Structures are given as structure tokens and as C-alpha cells.
Amino acid sequence: MMGIPAGLDWDWSTAADVLPTLLTQFLKVTLLVTALGTVIAAILGLVIAMAMRLAPRPIAAAVKWIANIIRMTPIIIQLLFAYYAFLSLDAITVGVIVFGIHYSTYMSEVYRAGIDAVPRGQWEATTALSMSMRRTWMAVIIPQALRATIPALGNYAISMFKDTPFLLVIGVVELVNAGLIYGGNTYRYIEPLTLVGIIFLLASYPTSLLIGRLEKRLAYNT
Amino acid sequence: MDDKFAAVGEAMPRLLEGLRVTVELTILGAIAAFILAVILGLAAASPTKVWRIPARVIIEFFRGTSLVVQIFWFFFVLPLLGIDLHPLVAGVLALGLNYGAYAAEVVRGSIQSVPSGQWEATTALSLGPVQRMRRIIFPQAWALMIPSLSSLLIHLMKGTAIVGYITLADFTFQLDQVKRVSGTLFTYGIVGMLGYFLFALLLTLAMNLLERQAKHKLGQGTSLRRILSPAPAPTTRAGGIQ
């Protein structure tokens, strides 16, 4: 720890030089993958949660174990596997699909809890009204189960956002990778990597505050 | 099919070596994270602003700036500022700070959800703040926080897979090497997923045992010694193993 060597401290012109590249990759890759991945996770998570409840027991058990394995192993391994298994797909597409599937295993647990929390009287009422299975789920159970899951979905979207740098293992130039490439070309890592950290903080902290408020509002109204 | 097993068998020593690095990082990272989480969590639960505000700033900073950014920052930027860290230290530091910040929220939440009657009782017994935390509040909060800490531990373990990029030859790095030599996906798909999954199961099991023990100390459920003993549990005793 010798103090800051001369000429290696913060340089504003470097920062100004790298910032446009970082912001472009942030919008074009990081946010895109997060948004599409969240949509896939939200839909697939519900499918998994319903499969675990409605499918015949052996299928439900298989779905549960596969979901457990995906949830408990690193997304990096899954990205590498999918990338090499589907070489015809480009890396961003692989990234969106893998992130969507990985996070759907978390979302399915949220939906499961939401479905379990729908009062028994609601199920009995659908029977009393002789609603079809389809109508029971679509008109009664899912709308009530979804309400409690919205904040959790938001929190997982933020987690996914902060996990997007893992995409660099399959060569996607997202925010962190863009910073590393700039650093590799110019030997200046301080500005790009610090800016990357600041961009992450500026994007995720206000969003998490908003979700916290949403969570409180939804909780009080039920 | 035989080639795949042969390739993996040949590579077994290096895969096990990689697994050792992954286990080492996970355990060291978890220890660092836990120490930090307790300090930050206690500070964040404190009624005094002098403790609470710095703790909140540190927690939000390390939660908000992505693990991967922190790892690369410690590895690439700190040397430029004159601080040279061994890659293992950089990795453990990043894992510890990132997951320590998440766990600090768990510690804070658990401390604050210990029933207020318990806090009032310590005042009635005129216990000092240290004794109150050590003997009454923390043991109860500890039992509450283990399930959340357990899932954070799995997250931390999954996060270690990035350290190949800061020159540490962990399990993922070795799997990648084997893939390059053998050219099959068998290594990632089966060996990699299964290796990590079994490790995750072991970690979960250990945390479950820890939770049992914490609850036993609060007078709930059987002791760890009884659960682990080969002798059958007495069936007549109320509250025995179900």
C-alpha cells in the first residue's frame, strides 16, 4: 500500500471517452436481456408452478428436481452449456433464454406460495359455481395469486440485472465486458470499471426503493 | 459414450483440484460474509444514527453494484491504486463484501423480529447491552436467520464460478479446460451441473443441521447429537424425531 502512483489516478477525459460506449451497451444489451429474461421467467415460472400442482405425480416430481438442479447450480455453467449446445443461436439469444429459465425456477416458488395463499373458500366457491378447471384458474386463482407476486418479480428482475455481467463468459459485450475491453485496449481500468459500478448502483438502488414501496402498498391493501 | 467417460476419468485429478478451489472460495467467502453481516447487521439494527447510517450506506453500496463488478474492480483497479491483492484474496473479499451486505439485511431483520417482550424482559432483568444481545436476542435471531442465510450461501457458491476470470483455476475453469480437450458437452452438462449440485445439497444439509441445533438450544426440537446418533430415537418421548 504505497499510496497512489503518479499518473494512475482518475482521469476525466478517459471517463468522458468511455462513458458513451458503456451507456450504449447498457441500453442495448444489459437492459434488453433483463427485460426479455424477466418476461420469460415470469411466464415459465407460472407454468412450472402449475405443472407441479396439476401434472401427474411422476411428472411433477421430475419438474421439481430439474428446477432444483437449475436453481442450485451456477448460471455460468448453464450459459456455457447452452452456448456450446446451440451454436447456431447467437450469444445474446442464448443469454436471454438461459436467464429466463434460471430465474423461472425462482419465480415458480413465488407463484407456488401465491397459489397456496389463495383461501380455500375460493376453491370451494368455484366448485359450488361448477366452474370449469380452466375458468377456476384463469378467473379466480391466478388473478389473486399474481397480486402478491408482483414485488417478488421486481426483486428478481433486479437480481437478474445484477447477474447480467455473467454473460461475458459467452462473449456478450454487456456493461462489464465493455469496460474490460476498453481497459484491455487502453490499460486504463480505473475509469471504465468504476463507472460500470456507478451505473449499476444508479439503476438498481432507486428501482429497489420503488419495489419496496410497492410491496408495502400491496401488503396493506390485502 | 466411452470416450466421454475416459476423458473425464483422465481429467479427474484436475477436476478435483478445481473443486477444491471452489470449496475453498465458498467457505472463506462465507466466513468473510458472515463476520461482515453480523457487524453490519448489528450496526443497522442500532437505534443510534452514528452506527446505523454508515452501515446502511455500506450495505446499499455493495448490494447495488453487482458481484462481478466488485471482483473485477478489486482485481484490476486496486493494483493500479498501489494495492496488490492475491487473486484469492480479491475473490474472497468481493464475495464477502457482496453477500455480507445481503446477509446483513437478514441479520438486521431477524434481530428486529425478536418479540419485543424479550427486549423488555432484558430491561426488567437489568442486563447490559452486550449481555442482552449475546445471551437473549442473538440466539433467538440466529435461529430465525439460518434459512435465509442458507439460500444466500448457495448464491455465494454459484457466484464463485466467475473467478476463472481473475486467474483462479476453480471447478468451472477446469471444466472449460476439459471441454476444450475432449470437445464434448458432457463435462458441462453432467459433470459440472452434478458436481455443483451435490456441493449445494451438502451445504443445504449442513445449514439444516445448524438450524436444528439452534432451535434445540432454544428448547425446541431434538439435539443434533440425537439426530446424528445411530441409535434409534426413543419413541415414547414427546417431541422426538417424527
Side-chain angles (χ1 to χ4, degrees), chain B residues 155-171:
Chain B
H155 277 287
L156 187 149
M157 183 278 284
K158 295 194 297 179
T160 62
I162 192 72
V163 297
Y165 283 79
I166 59 165
T167 71
L168 291 173
D170 75 324
F171 191 44

Side-chain angles (χ1 to χ4, degrees), chain B residues 72-84:
Chain B
F72 285 128
W73 206 89
F74 288 139
F75 185 73
F76 285 108
V77 177
L78 281 186
L80 297 175
L81 300 176
I83 303 167
D84 258 315

Side-chain angles (χ1 to χ4, degrees), chain B residues 7 47 90 109 133 202 205 217-218 228:
Chain B
M133 191 50 73
L202 271 177
L205 184 70
K217 281 193 171 166
L218 297 177
L228 294 177

